Amino acid sequence: MSAIKYTFQIEKDDFSRAGEASSSIKKILMQVGSEPSLTRRVAIATYEAEMNIVIHSDGGTISVMIDPKCVMVLAKDNGPGIENIELAMKEGYSTATDRIREMGFGAGMGLSNMKKCSDEFSIESKIGEGTTIMMNMCVKEGE
Amino acid sequence: MKVKEVCQKINLGLLAGGEGLEREITGLYICDLLSWVMSHAVKGNAWITVQTHSNIIAVATLLDMSCIIIPEDMEVEEETLKKANEEKMPLLRSSQNSYDLVKEFLNHGIGK
């Protein structure tokens, strides 16, 4: 099986559809028979990426490249960019509004959850341009 | 124990997602911070939460939870019911609070 690629559009503030991209990605992984703990990690990471784009960005895309052993996730948004990445990566730090927090989001765990789920994780951000997150997740030995 | 059997034993009202009643409950999880739930809850958990917006269905589905239980007769949004039906994720409601629900679960030996 060669790598298959899917791209999902994520709209800013669209809470009624939020979670649909990550749910679709999980369904695709289940269909191709992906290993369950890899599927779980991809589900968590893409959910967090999707919610971050909905809550904090001006919209963006999530792409996944799936091959039998590894899943590469690329989450890209159109801005506004993260001022201090180090601070944003810190668990518990969030810039979410009170309204968002009342809905159970904005725990300041999104980026750290993504990193924990990934074997490789990178984040780049430019104010006024946007943020790109790359995550690579592979089946672990013995799974 | 199956969601269907638990519903009868501890008197949970089915709001939506009735096509998923055959799911197996393997334990309970209680939390309202969605990212926390995402990283700690596991497959088969019955999830008690006071969040009632439609995103809870995505969280439960992504983690393969067995059902969602809304405590204390809270109102649930129409969009959430629709999503629960689409995803066949049982959405249940109780008049009891989370603590009393846990006691009921333990009394019936569920999730032990």
Side-chain angles (χ1 to χ4, degrees), chain A residues 29-80:
Chain A
L29 287 176
M30 288 175 73
Q31 274 164 15
V32 301
S34 167
E35 189 280 321
S37 89
L38 175 64
T39 305
R40 174 182 162 92
R41 287 192 288 139
V42 175
I44 295 170
T46 53
Y47 171 81
E48 295 290 5
E50 183 175 8
M51 294 319 301
N52 270 1
I53 294 175
V54 171
I55 294 167
H56 298 288
S57 85
D58 297 328
T61 57
I62 293 180
S63 304
V64 282
M65 278 138 282
I66 303 166
D67 74 26
K69 293 269 175 205
C70 294
V71 178
M72 164 96 85
V73 179
L74 202 64
K76 226 175 147 125
D77 70 45
N78 310 319

mmCIF file of all heavy atoms in Angstrom, chain A residues 29-80:
data_model
loop_
_atom_site.group_PDB
_atom_site.id
_atom_site.type_symbol
_atom_site.label_atom_id
_atom_site.label_comp_id
_atom_site.label_asym_id
_atom_site.label_seq_id
_atom_site.Cartn_x
_atom_site.Cartn_y
_atom_site.Cartn_z
ATOM 1 N N LEU A 29 -8.514 5.624 9.166
ATOM 2 C CA LEU A 29 -7.489 4.753 9.759
ATOM 3 C C LEU A 29 -8.072 3.389 10.129
ATOM 4 O O LEU A 29 -7.425 2.351 9.960
ATOM 5 C CB LEU A 29 -6.874 5.414 10.993
ATOM 6 C CG LEU A 29 -5.922 6.580 10.696
ATOM 7 C CD1 LEU A 29 -5.453 7.224 11.987
ATOM 8 C CD2 LEU A 29 -4.734 6.125 9.873
ATOM 9 N N MET A 30 -9.316 3.409 10.652
ATOM 10 C CA MET A 30 -9.935 2.133 11.018
ATOM 11 C C MET A 30 -10.206 1.296 9.769
ATOM 12 O O MET A 30 -10.033 0.081 9.789
ATOM 13 C CB MET A 30 -11.202 2.370 11.826
ATOM 14 C CG MET A 30 -10.864 2.863 13.236
ATOM 15 S SD MET A 30 -12.304 3.298 14.205
ATOM 16 C CE MET A 30 -12.942 1.667 14.561
ATOM 17 N N GLN A 31 -10.616 1.987 8.686
ATOM 18 C CA GLN A 31 -10.899 1.267 7.442
ATOM 19 C C GLN A 31 -9.653 0.607 6.861
ATOM 20 O O GLN A 31 -9.723 -0.486 6.316
ATOM 21 C CB GLN A 31 -11.486 2.228 6.397
ATOM 22 C CG GLN A 31 -12.995 2.373 6.527
ATOM 23 C CD GLN A 31 -13.513 3.583 5.783
ATOM 24 O OE1 GLN A 31 -12.813 4.170 4.954
ATOM 25 N NE2 GLN A 31 -14.730 3.989 6.090
ATOM 26 N N VAL A 32 -8.512 1.298 6.976
ATOM 27 C CA VAL A 32 -7.291 0.708 6.409
ATOM 28 C C VAL A 32 -6.620 -0.254 7.390
ATOM 29 O O VAL A 32 -5.548 -0.789 7.131
ATOM 30 C CB VAL A 32 -6.265 1.780 5.932
ATOM 31 C CG1 VAL A 32 -6.889 2.676 4.874
ATOM 32 C CG2 VAL A 32 -5.730 2.610 7.091
ATOM 33 N N GLY A 33 -7.275 -0.465 8.552
ATOM 34 C CA GLY A 33 -6.770 -1.455 9.505
ATOM 35 C C GLY A 33 -5.552 -0.996 10.290
ATOM 36 O O GLY A 33 -4.699 -1.800 10.674
ATOM 37 N N SER A 34 -5.486 0.297 10.549
ATOM 38 C CA SER A 34 -4.355 0.836 11.309
ATOM 39 C C SER A 34 -4.325 0.268 12.729
ATOM 40 O O SER A 34 -5.356 -0.036 13.319
ATOM 41 C CB SER A 34 -4.494 2.361 11.338
ATOM 42 O OG SER A 34 -3.624 2.923 12.279
ATOM 43 N N GLU A 35 -3.153 0.141 13.262
ATOM 44 C CA GLU A 35 -2.950 -0.424 14.603
ATOM 45 C C GLU A 35 -3.681 0.464 15.632
ATOM 46 O O GLU A 35 -3.584 1.686 15.580
ATOM 47 C CB GLU A 35 -1.421 -0.494 14.831
ATOM 48 C CG GLU A 35 -0.983 -1.233 16.039
ATOM 49 C CD GLU A 35 -1.106 -0.397 17.275
ATOM 50 O OE1 GLU A 35 -0.801 0.795 17.190
ATOM 51 O OE2 GLU A 35 -1.530 -0.943 18.288
ATOM 52 N N PRO A 36 -4.446 -0.132 16.587
ATOM 53 C CA PRO A 36 -5.329 0.662 17.465
ATOM 54 C C PRO A 36 -4.641 1.758 18.285
ATOM 55 O O PRO A 36 -5.196 2.849 18.421
ATOM 56 C CB PRO A 36 -5.951 -0.389 18.395
ATOM 57 C CG PRO A 36 -5.878 -1.659 17.638
ATOM 58 C CD PRO A 36 -4.661 -1.580 16.770
ATOM 59 N N SER A 37 -3.446 1.498 18.823
ATOM 60 C CA SER A 37 -2.875 2.551 19.661
ATOM 61 C C SER A 37 -2.315 3.698 18.808
ATOM 62 O O SER A 37 -2.293 4.852 19.238
ATOM 63 C CB SER A 37 -1.852 1.997 20.656
ATOM 64 O OG SER A 37 -0.585 1.975 20.105
ATOM 65 N N LEU A 38 -1.906 3.394 17.569
ATOM 66 C CA LEU A 38 -1.525 4.460 16.634
ATOM 67 C C LEU A 38 -2.768 5.277 16.269
ATOM 68 O O LEU A 38 -2.736 6.505 16.252
ATOM 69 C CB LEU A 38 -0.872 3.870 15.374
ATOM 70 C CG LEU A 38 -0.535 4.861 14.262
ATOM 71 C CD1 LEU A 38 0.522 5.873 14.720
ATOM 72 C CD2 LEU A 38 -0.037 4.147 13.005
ATOM 73 N N THR A 39 -3.872 4.579 16.028
ATOM 74 C CA THR A 39 -5.121 5.262 15.696
ATOM 75 C C THR A 39 -5.532 6.205 16.818
ATOM 76 O O THR A 39 -5.939 7.347 16.572
ATOM 77 C CB THR A 39 -6.247 4.219 15.446
ATOM 78 O OG1 THR A 39 -5.797 3.323 14.440
ATOM 79 C CG2 THR A 39 -7.530 4.877 14.999
ATOM 80 N N ARG A 40 -5.395 5.748 18.064
ATOM 81 C CA ARG A 40 -5.755 6.588 19.208
ATOM 82 C C ARG A 40 -4.887 7.851 19.245
ATOM 83 O O ARG A 40 -5.380 8.956 19.429
ATOM 84 C CB ARG A 40 -5.606 5.786 20.516
ATOM 85 C CG ARG A 40 -5.836 6.637 21.774
ATOM 86 C CD ARG A 40 -5.645 5.845 23.066
ATOM 87 N NE ARG A 40 -5.450 6.748 24.199
ATOM 88 C CZ ARG A 40 -6.416 7.207 24.983
ATOM 89 N NH1 ARG A 40 -7.670 6.842 24.769
ATOM 90 N NH2 ARG A 40 -6.143 8.024 25.975
ATOM 91 N N ARG A 41 -3.582 7.668 19.058
ATOM 92 C CA ARG A 41 -2.688 8.833 19.112
ATOM 93 C C ARG A 41 -3.004 9.824 17.996
ATOM 94 O O ARG A 41 -3.018 11.033 18.215
ATOM 95 C CB ARG A 41 -1.228 8.380 19.042
ATOM 96 C CG ARG A 41 -0.772 7.728 20.349
ATOM 97 C CD ARG A 41 0.726 7.555 20.394
ATOM 98 N NE ARG A 41 1.187 6.505 19.490
ATOM 99 C CZ ARG A 41 2.291 6.598 18.739
ATOM 100 N NH1 ARG A 41 3.033 7.674 18.777
ATOM 101 N NH2 ARG A 41 2.641 5.597 17.955
ATOM 102 N N VAL A 42 -3.268 9.311 16.804
ATOM 103 C CA VAL A 42 -3.602 10.212 15.688
ATOM 104 C C VAL A 42 -4.929 10.920 15.969
ATOM 105 O O VAL A 42 -5.077 12.114 15.717
ATOM 106 C CB VAL A 42 -3.671 9.431 14.347
ATOM 107 C CG1 VAL A 42 -4.145 10.348 13.227
ATOM 108 C CG2 VAL A 42 -2.318 8.828 13.998
ATOM 109 N N ALA A 43 -5.889 10.185 16.548
ATOM 110 C CA ALA A 43 -7.200 10.774 16.854
ATOM 111 C C ALA A 43 -7.051 11.929 17.838
ATOM 112 O O ALA A 43 -7.618 13.014 17.644
ATOM 113 C CB ALA A 43 -8.138 9.696 17.418
ATOM 114 N N ILE A 44 -6.264 11.728 18.896
ATOM 115 C CA ILE A 44 -6.066 12.773 19.904
ATOM 116 C C ILE A 44 -5.345 13.972 19.281
ATOM 117 O O ILE A 44 -5.771 15.123 19.431
ATOM 118 C CB ILE A 44 -5.264 12.232 21.119
ATOM 119 C CG1 ILE A 44 -6.066 11.156 21.849
ATOM 120 C CG2 ILE A 44 -4.893 13.365 22.078
ATOM 121 C CD1 ILE A 44 -5.280 10.383 22.914
ATOM 122 N N ALA A 45 -4.271 13.694 18.555
ATOM 123 C CA ALA A 45 -3.459 14.782 17.993
ATOM 124 C C ALA A 45 -4.237 15.604 16.959
ATOM 125 O O ALA A 45 -4.172 16.836 16.960
ATOM 126 C CB ALA A 45 -2.189 14.205 17.365
ATOM 127 N N THR A 46 -4.994 14.927 16.107
ATOM 128 C CA THR A 46 -5.722 15.684 15.082
ATOM 129 C C THR A 46 -6.913 16.420 15.691
ATOM 130 O O THR A 46 -7.249 17.518 15.258
ATOM 131 C CB THR A 46 -6.219 14.771 13.927
ATOM 132 O OG1 THR A 46 -6.968 13.678 14.466
ATOM 133 C CG2 THR A 46 -5.061 14.234 13.117
ATOM 134 N N TYR A 47 -7.514 15.851 16.741
ATOM 135 C CA TYR A 47 -8.604 16.561 17.436
ATOM 136 C C TYR A 47 -8.079 17.867 18.034
ATOM 137 O O TYR A 47 -8.673 18.930 17.865
ATOM 138 C CB TYR A 47 -9.205 15.684 18.536
ATOM 139 C CG TYR A 47 -10.183 16.424 19.436
ATOM 140 C CD1 TYR A 47 -11.503 16.641 19.042
ATOM 141 C CD2 TYR A 47 -9.778 16.932 20.671
ATOM 142 C CE1 TYR A 47 -12.391 17.337 19.853
ATOM 143 C CE2 TYR A 47 -10.646 17.625 21.486
ATOM 144 C CZ TYR A 47 -11.956 17.824 21.077
ATOM 145 O OH TYR A 47 -12.826 18.530 21.885
ATOM 146 N N GLU A 48 -6.954 17.784 18.726
ATOM 147 C CA GLU A 48 -6.384 18.984 19.349
ATOM 148 C C GLU A 48 -6.000 20.018 18.289
ATOM 149 O O GLU A 48 -6.228 21.213 18.472
ATOM 150 C CB GLU A 48 -5.158 18.615 20.196
ATOM 151 C CG GLU A 48 -5.459 17.726 21.400
ATOM 152 C CD GLU A 48 -6.238 18.428 22.512
ATOM 153 O OE1 GLU A 48 -6.652 19.587 22.343
ATOM 154 O OE2 GLU A 48 -6.438 17.795 23.574
ATOM 155 N N ALA A 49 -5.412 19.543 17.185
ATOM 156 C CA ALA A 49 -5.025 20.462 16.110
ATOM 157 C C ALA A 49 -6.264 21.137 15.521
ATOM 158 O O ALA A 49 -6.285 22.348 15.287
ATOM 159 C CB ALA A 49 -4.267 19.702 15.025
ATOM 160 N N GLU A 50 -7.302 20.332 15.326
ATOM 161 C CA GLU A 50 -8.544 20.864 14.755
ATOM 162 C C GLU A 50 -9.167 21.903 15.687
ATOM 163 O O GLU A 50 -9.576 22.980 15.248
ATOM 164 C CB GLU A 50 -9.517 19.702 14.498
ATOM 165 C CG GLU A 50 -10.806 20.141 13.832
ATOM 166 C CD GLU A 50 -11.711 18.965 13.481
ATOM 167 O OE1 GLU A 50 -11.406 17.819 13.882
ATOM 168 O OE2 GLU A 50 -12.739 19.209 12.816
ATOM 169 N N MET A 51 -9.236 21.588 16.981
ATOM 170 C CA MET A 51 -9.845 22.529 17.925
ATOM 171 C C MET A 51 -9.029 23.807 18.024
ATOM 172 O O MET A 51 -9.578 24.900 18.137
ATOM 173 C CB MET A 51 -10.019 21.890 19.310
ATOM 174 C CG MET A 51 -11.015 20.744 19.366
ATOM 175 S SD MET A 51 -12.534 20.973 18.415
ATOM 176 C CE MET A 51 -13.203 22.463 19.161
ATOM 177 N N ASN A 52 -7.698 23.694 17.968
ATOM 178 C CA ASN A 52 -6.866 24.893 17.987
ATOM 179 C C ASN A 52 -7.158 25.797 16.790
ATOM 180 O O ASN A 52 -7.234 27.018 16.936
ATOM 181 C CB ASN A 52 -5.373 24.512 17.989
ATOM 182 C CG ASN A 52 -4.838 24.349 19.396
ATOM 183 O OD1 ASN A 52 -5.567 24.503 20.367
ATOM 184 N ND2 ASN A 52 -3.562 24.029 19.501
ATOM 185 N N ILE A 53 -7.320 25.189 15.620
ATOM 186 C CA ILE A 53 -7.596 25.999 14.422
ATOM 187 C C ILE A 53 -8.961 26.672 14.557
ATOM 188 O O ILE A 53 -9.118 27.855 14.269
ATOM 189 C CB ILE A 53 -7.513 25.134 13.135
ATOM 190 C CG1 ILE A 53 -6.068 24.658 12.931
ATOM 191 C CG2 ILE A 53 -7.988 25.926 11.927
ATOM 192 C CD1 ILE A 53 -5.868 23.690 11.774
ATOM 193 N N VAL A 54 -9.965 25.924 15.062
ATOM 194 C CA VAL A 54 -11.314 26.494 15.228
ATOM 195 C C VAL A 54 -11.296 27.642 16.243
ATOM 196 O O VAL A 54 -11.865 28.709 16.011
ATOM 197 C CB VAL A 54 -12.317 25.406 15.691
ATOM 198 C CG1 VAL A 54 -13.654 26.012 16.081
ATOM 199 C CG2 VAL A 54 -12.510 24.362 14.597
ATOM 200 N N ILE A 55 -10.616 27.410 17.375
ATOM 201 C CA ILE A 55 -10.676 28.376 18.474
ATOM 202 C C ILE A 55 -9.749 29.575 18.251
ATOM 203 O O ILE A 55 -10.138 30.717 18.491
ATOM 204 C CB ILE A 55 -10.306 27.682 19.819
ATOM 205 C CG1 ILE A 55 -11.369 26.640 20.178
ATOM 206 C CG2 ILE A 55 -10.159 28.697 20.948
ATOM 207 C CD1 ILE A 55 -10.960 25.699 21.304
ATOM 208 N N HIS A 56 -8.529 29.310 17.814
ATOM 209 C CA HIS A 56 -7.511 30.375 17.854
ATOM 210 C C HIS A 56 -7.130 30.985 16.510
ATOM 211 O O HIS A 56 -6.492 32.025 16.478
ATOM 212 C CB HIS A 56 -6.219 29.828 18.489
ATOM 213 C CG HIS A 56 -6.383 29.366 19.905
ATOM 214 N ND1 HIS A 56 -6.569 30.253 20.949
ATOM 215 C CD2 HIS A 56 -6.410 28.130 20.451
ATOM 216 C CE1 HIS A 56 -6.679 29.553 22.083
ATOM 217 N NE2 HIS A 56 -6.602 28.276 21.804
ATOM 218 N N SER A 57 -7.473 30.324 15.400
ATOM 219 C CA SER A 57 -6.925 30.819 14.130
ATOM 220 C C SER A 57 -7.992 31.446 13.238
ATOM 221 O O SER A 57 -9.168 31.468 13.562
ATOM 222 C CB SER A 57 -6.248 29.675 13.367
ATOM 223 O OG SER A 57 -7.219 28.974 12.608
ATOM 224 N N ASP A 58 -7.529 31.914 12.077
ATOM 225 C CA ASP A 58 -8.446 32.448 11.068
ATOM 226 C C ASP A 58 -8.840 31.365 10.069
ATOM 227 O O ASP A 58 -9.219 31.656 8.946
ATOM 228 C CB ASP A 58 -7.768 33.619 10.338
ATOM 229 C CG ASP A 58 -7.468 34.770 11.276
ATOM 230 O OD1 ASP A 58 -8.236 34.964 12.228
ATOM 231 O OD2 ASP A 58 -6.453 35.469 11.064
ATOM 232 N N GLY A 59 -8.747 30.110 10.487
ATOM 233 C CA GLY A 59 -9.080 28.984 9.611
ATOM 234 C C GLY A 59 -7.819 28.354 9.059
ATOM 235 O O GLY A 59 -6.741 28.949 9.101
ATOM 236 N N GLY A 60 -7.954 27.123 8.563
ATOM 237 C CA GLY A 60 -6.770 26.443 8.030
ATOM 238 C C GLY A 60 -7.104 25.077 7.495
ATOM 239 O O GLY A 60 -8.259 24.800 7.134
ATOM 240 N N THR A 61 -6.080 24.235 7.424
ATOM 241 C CA THR A 61 -6.279 22.879 6.900
ATOM 242 C C THR A 61 -5.526 21.863 7.764
ATOM 243 O O THR A 61 -4.558 22.203 8.432
ATOM 244 C CB THR A 61 -5.706 22.737 5.459
ATOM 245 O OG1 THR A 61 -4.326 23.090 5.466
ATOM 246 C CG2 THR A 61 -6.460 23.598 4.465
ATOM 247 N N ILE A 62 -6.026 20.630 7.738
ATOM 248 C CA ILE A 62 -5.280 19.514 8.323
ATOM 249 C C ILE A 62 -5.100 18.474 7.221
ATOM 250 O O ILE A 62 -6.079 18.060 6.592
ATOM 251 C CB ILE A 62 -6.023 18.899 9.525
ATOM 252 C CG1 ILE A 62 -6.081 19.909 10.676
ATOM 253 C CG2 ILE A 62 -5.323 17.614 9.986
ATOM 254 C CD1 ILE A 62 -6.784 19.396 11.906
ATOM 255 N N SER A 63 -3.859 18.108 6.976
ATOM 256 C CA SER A 63 -3.584 17.051 5.995
ATOM 257 C C SER A 63 -2.988 15.850 6.698
ATOM 258 O O SER A 63 -2.224 16.010 7.656
ATOM 259 C CB SER A 63 -2.580 17.532 4.944
ATOM 260 O OG SER A 63 -3.061 18.691 4.327
ATOM 261 N N VAL A 64 -3.359 14.683 6.231
ATOM 262 C CA VAL A 64 -2.752 13.464 6.767
ATOM 263 C C VAL A 64 -2.210 12.617 5.622
ATOM 264 O O VAL A 64 -2.833 12.508 4.574
ATOM 265 C CB VAL A 64 -3.748 12.592 7.584
ATOM 266 C CG1 VAL A 64 -3.970 13.150 8.957
ATOM 267 C CG2 VAL A 64 -5.063 12.400 6.859
ATOM 268 N N MET A 65 -1.027 12.088 5.829
ATOM 269 C CA MET A 65 -0.444 11.162 4.875
ATOM 270 C C MET A 65 -0.299 9.828 5.595
ATOM 271 O O MET A 65 0.375 9.738 6.623
ATOM 272 C CB MET A 65 0.914 11.656 4.395
ATOM 273 C CG MET A 65 0.775 12.679 3.283
ATOM 274 S SD MET A 65 1.917 14.056 3.476
ATOM 275 C CE MET A 65 1.117 15.030 4.731
ATOM 276 N N ILE A 66 -1.004 8.834 5.077
ATOM 277 C CA ILE A 66 -1.094 7.555 5.789
ATOM 278 C C ILE A 66 -0.352 6.480 5.019
ATOM 279 O O ILE A 66 -0.625 6.260 3.832
ATOM 280 C CB ILE A 66 -2.585 7.150 5.942
ATOM 281 C CG1 ILE A 66 -3.353 8.263 6.667
ATOM 282 C CG2 ILE A 66 -2.719 5.816 6.673
ATOM 283 C CD1 ILE A 66 -4.865 8.113 6.574
ATOM 284 N N ASP A 67 0.600 5.854 5.644
ATOM 285 C CA ASP A 67 1.162 4.634 5.057
ATOM 286 C C ASP A 67 1.033 3.526 6.105
ATOM 287 O O ASP A 67 0.601 3.786 7.227
ATOM 288 C CB ASP A 67 2.566 4.866 4.481
ATOM 289 C CG ASP A 67 3.649 5.000 5.535
ATOM 290 O OD1 ASP A 67 3.482 4.450 6.639
ATOM 291 O OD2 ASP A 67 4.674 5.637 5.243
ATOM 292 N N PRO A 68 1.350 2.288 5.764
ATOM 293 C CA PRO A 68 1.007 1.196 6.688
ATOM 294 C C PRO A 68 1.566 1.353 8.104
ATOM 295 O O PRO A 68 0.937 0.935 9.066
ATOM 296 C CB PRO A 68 1.588 -0.036 6.002
ATOM 297 C CG PRO A 68 1.588 0.303 4.556
ATOM 298 C CD PRO A 68 1.872 1.774 4.479
ATOM 299 N N LYS A 69 2.732 1.951 8.260
ATOM 300 C CA LYS A 69 3.357 2.007 9.578
ATOM 301 C C LYS A 69 3.315 3.387 10.229
ATOM 302 O O LYS A 69 3.475 3.494 11.451
ATOM 303 C CB LYS A 69 4.832 1.555 9.468
ATOM 304 C CG LYS A 69 5.003 0.089 9.115
ATOM 305 C CD LYS A 69 5.077 -0.750 10.372
ATOM 306 C CE LYS A 69 5.118 -2.230 10.034
ATOM 307 N NZ LYS A 69 4.625 -3.060 11.107
ATOM 308 N N CYS A 70 3.173 4.432 9.437
ATOM 309 C CA CYS A 70 3.271 5.792 9.983
ATOM 310 C C CYS A 70 2.172 6.699 9.445
ATOM 311 O O CYS A 70 1.663 6.511 8.349
ATOM 312 C CB CYS A 70 4.610 6.421 9.630
ATOM 313 S SG CYS A 70 6.015 5.611 10.418
ATOM 314 N N VAL A 71 1.821 7.687 10.264
ATOM 315 C CA VAL A 71 0.879 8.725 9.840
ATOM 316 C C VAL A 71 1.544 10.076 10.062
ATOM 317 O O VAL A 71 2.032 10.359 11.153
ATOM 318 C CB VAL A 71 -0.440 8.654 10.642
ATOM 319 C CG1 VAL A 71 -1.385 9.773 10.205
ATOM 320 C CG2 VAL A 71 -1.106 7.302 10.465
ATOM 321 N N MET A 72 1.593 10.860 9.001
ATOM 322 C CA MET A 72 2.151 12.206 9.101
ATOM 323 C C MET A 72 0.982 13.193 9.072
ATOM 324 O O MET A 72 0.099 13.097 8.226
ATOM 325 C CB MET A 72 3.087 12.443 7.921
ATOM 326 C CG MET A 72 3.437 13.877 7.686
ATOM 327 S SD MET A 72 5.006 14.302 8.443
ATOM 328 C CE MET A 72 6.117 13.776 7.146
ATOM 329 N N VAL A 73 0.970 14.128 10.041
ATOM 330 C CA VAL A 73 -0.118 15.112 10.117
ATOM 331 C C VAL A 73 0.477 16.501 9.934
ATOM 332 O O VAL A 73 1.483 16.844 10.559
ATOM 333 C CB VAL A 73 -0.835 15.054 11.497
ATOM 334 C CG1 VAL A 73 -1.950 16.094 11.570
ATOM 335 C CG2 VAL A 73 -1.369 13.663 11.772
ATOM 336 N N LEU A 74 -0.148 17.279 9.061
ATOM 337 C CA LEU A 74 0.284 18.655 8.848
ATOM 338 C C LEU A 74 -0.910 19.577 9.126
ATOM 339 O O LEU A 74 -1.920 19.495 8.435
ATOM 340 C CB LEU A 74 0.748 18.805 7.397
ATOM 341 C CG LEU A 74 1.680 19.957 7.101
ATOM 342 C CD1 LEU A 74 3.009 19.800 7.832
ATOM 343 C CD2 LEU A 74 1.928 20.049 5.599
ATOM 344 N N ALA A 75 -0.807 20.384 10.171
ATOM 345 C CA ALA A 75 -1.887 21.319 10.510
ATOM 346 C C ALA A 75 -1.381 22.725 10.208
ATOM 347 O O ALA A 75 -0.356 23.153 10.733
ATOM 348 C CB ALA A 75 -2.258 21.188 11.982
ATOM 349 N N LYS A 76 -2.097 23.419 9.343
ATOM 350 C CA LYS A 76 -1.622 24.715 8.846
ATOM 351 C C LYS A 76 -2.752 25.719 8.967
ATOM 352 O O LYS A 76 -3.868 25.444 8.536
ATOM 353 C CB LYS A 76 -1.301 24.527 7.359
ATOM 354 C CG LYS A 76 0.017 25.122 6.933
ATOM 355 C CD LYS A 76 0.257 24.756 5.485
ATOM 356 C CE LYS A 76 1.008 25.893 4.887
ATOM 357 N NZ LYS A 76 2.231 25.612 4.255
ATOM 358 N N ASP A 77 -2.489 26.866 9.568
ATOM 359 C CA ASP A 77 -3.552 27.867 9.618
ATOM 360 C C ASP A 77 -3.136 29.186 8.982
ATOM 361 O O ASP A 77 -1.968 29.396 8.663
ATOM 362 C CB ASP A 77 -4.053 28.060 11.060
ATOM 363 C CG ASP A 77 -3.056 28.751 11.968
ATOM 364 O OD1 ASP A 77 -2.453 29.752 11.553
ATOM 365 O OD2 ASP A 77 -2.883 28.284 13.108
ATOM 366 N N ASN A 78 -4.106 30.061 8.797
ATOM 367 C CA ASN A 78 -3.882 31.331 8.082
ATOM 368 C C ASN A 78 -3.637 32.502 9.031
ATOM 369 O O ASN A 78 -3.915 33.642 8.694
ATOM 370 C CB ASN A 78 -5.104 31.646 7.204
ATOM 371 C CG ASN A 78 -5.496 30.466 6.351
ATOM 372 O OD1 ASN A 78 -4.642 29.776 5.813
ATOM 373 N ND2 ASN A 78 -6.800 30.202 6.235
ATOM 374 N N GLY A 79 -3.188 32.234 10.205
ATOM 375 C CA GLY A 79 -2.918 33.313 11.142
ATOM 376 C C GLY A 79 -3.857 33.275 12.315
ATOM 377 O O GLY A 79 -4.742 32.417 12.339
ATOM 378 N N PRO A 80 -3.649 34.116 13.288
ATOM 379 C CA PRO A 80 -2.734 35.262 13.323
ATOM 380 C C PRO A 80 -1.292 34.930 13.738
ATOM 381 O O PRO A 80 -0.451 35.823 13.692
ATOM 382 C CB PRO A 80 -3.378 36.157 14.394
ATOM 383 C CG PRO A 80 -4.025 35.186 15.326
ATOM 384 C CD PRO A 80 -4.480 34.021 14.494
#
